[in-house]
Amino acid sequence: MGALVALTGCGGGETKVMSLAEMADRSLTYALTDVDDAETPDAEGAHRFTVSYSVTGDGPCSRFADDVTATLNGAAMTVVPGGASSVGGRSGACENSRVYFNYDPEAWGREPVGDITVQLQDATSTVRLVLQNAKAKRRFVFQGEGTPDKLRVGQTYEFRWEPATEVPGPVEALLLREGGRAPGQLAVTQDGVKVRLPIPANTPQANHTLTLGADLSGVMSECSGVASCSGAIYHSQDFVLSVVP
């Protein structure tokens, strides 16, 4: 989750150590993962920001030089150098060079919304990525009467995405019965940050997990030291509930 490991063919499984300046023609992909999983709330990578270099389809695999460092808003990021990989039994594959930061969702929830600034640096170059107001804890907040732990068949319920300064979409809703084999997708009506979803009349009266999820593109104000930057922010959230008559 959030690892952004890209594998592609490379020249005989060889690895070439490259400086950031030598990788300036590559593209960066960022991913902010914000997954509130009811079953495994502390799963590795559930709350992570990753920046990943693209890999090439020819020539040797590239690997970060030993002096590459990375920070997110001044805090140290974990550096994964990349290089030739045998993941999945593919001995001639390249693993992309990347950095990541595991953030504390509770801390981000308490702190004000702010920019994310990622900086990679070595002796040859500095790479910067700035996303406006991306440092925020995303939430689906239940609206209206009642509580999100008890929903009635045939009724329609509303949730609101936070922060309200950004609009996700499209929002998807999956309802999985406890012990069920496959989740059922609910028909979602979305108006900006407001999401309305019905509980169908034929829904079994039992315990369920409702999962709401959506992604959005961040607002990028800086991308320097590489050819291009792109990516997405993703949030999903589980609600453990009972469906009642």
Side-chain angles (χ1 to χ4, degrees):
M1 185 184 304
L4 281 181
V5 178
L7 297 177
T8 188
C10 62
E14 298 176 353
T15 295
K16 178 183 178 182
V17 176
M18 300 181 70
S19 67
L20 293 180
E22 292 175 302
M23 300 174 73
D25 60 344
R26 306 282 183 93
S27 61
L28 287 186
T29 301
Y30 67 83
L32 196 163
T33 306
D34 182 4
V35 175
D36 298 329
D37 188 316
E39 186 174 347
T40 53
D42 298 318
E44 183 180 359
H47 301 96
R48 176 177 289 185
F49 189 86
T50 306
V51 174
S52 175
Y53 270 83
S54 61
V55 294
T56 59
D58 54 1
C61 300
S62 58
R63 177 183 174 88
F64 280 148
D66 290 341
D67 64 340
V68 171
T69 60
T71 58
L72 185 150
N73 292 359
M77 302 180 75
T78 299
V79 177
V80 182
S85 172
S86 58
V87 173
R90 297 177 58 188
S91 59
C94 295
E95 181 180 347
N96 54 350
S97 303
R98 61 197 184 277
V99 297
Y100 67 84
F101 179 81
N102 292 320
Y103 64 91
D104 182 346
E106 294 185 2
W108 279 25
R110 293 190 303 268
E111 296 164 1
V113 174
D115 295 348
I116 286 179
T117 300
V118 170
Q119 182 165 294
L120 291 85
Q121 202 162 24
D122 67 3
T124 67
S125 183
T126 297
V127 176
R128 280 175 57 89
L129 168 68
V130 180
L131 299 175
Q132 294 181 4
N133 295 327
K135 179 183 169 291
K137 179 67 185 80
R138 276 82 188 173
R139 298 184 178 90
F140 287 100
V141 181
F142 182 77
Q143 303 292 286
E145 298 180 357
T147 61
D149 61 354
K150 186 179 292 185
L151 305 182
R152 298 188 181 278
V153 294
Q155 298 293 312
T156 297
Y157 294 92
E158 183 174 303
F159 292 78
R160 186 185 71 248
W161 172 280
E162 291 185 352
T165 53
E166 59 187 28
V167 178
V171 174
E172 294 186 348
L174 299 175
L175 190 64
L176 175 63
R177 181 180 179 178
E178 186 177 58
R181 294 183 180 180
Q185 189 160 349
L186 301 181
V188 172
T189 302
Q190 184 177 347
D191 179 14
V193 297
K194 296 180 180 179
V195 180
R196 291 172 58 84
L197 53 95
I199 305 300
N202 62 351
T203 303
Q205 296 171 27
N207 294 329
H208 289 73
T209 298
L210 170 67
T211 301
L212 299 178
D215 58 18
L216 67 153
S217 297
V219 179
M220 187 166 50
S221 60
E222 184 177 347
C223 170
S224 59
V226 289
S228 64
C229 302
S230 62
I233 295 166
Y234 176 75
H235 171 60
S236 70
Q237 185 173 346
D238 288 348
F239 297 86
V240 178
L241 55 90
S242 298
V243 173
V244 298

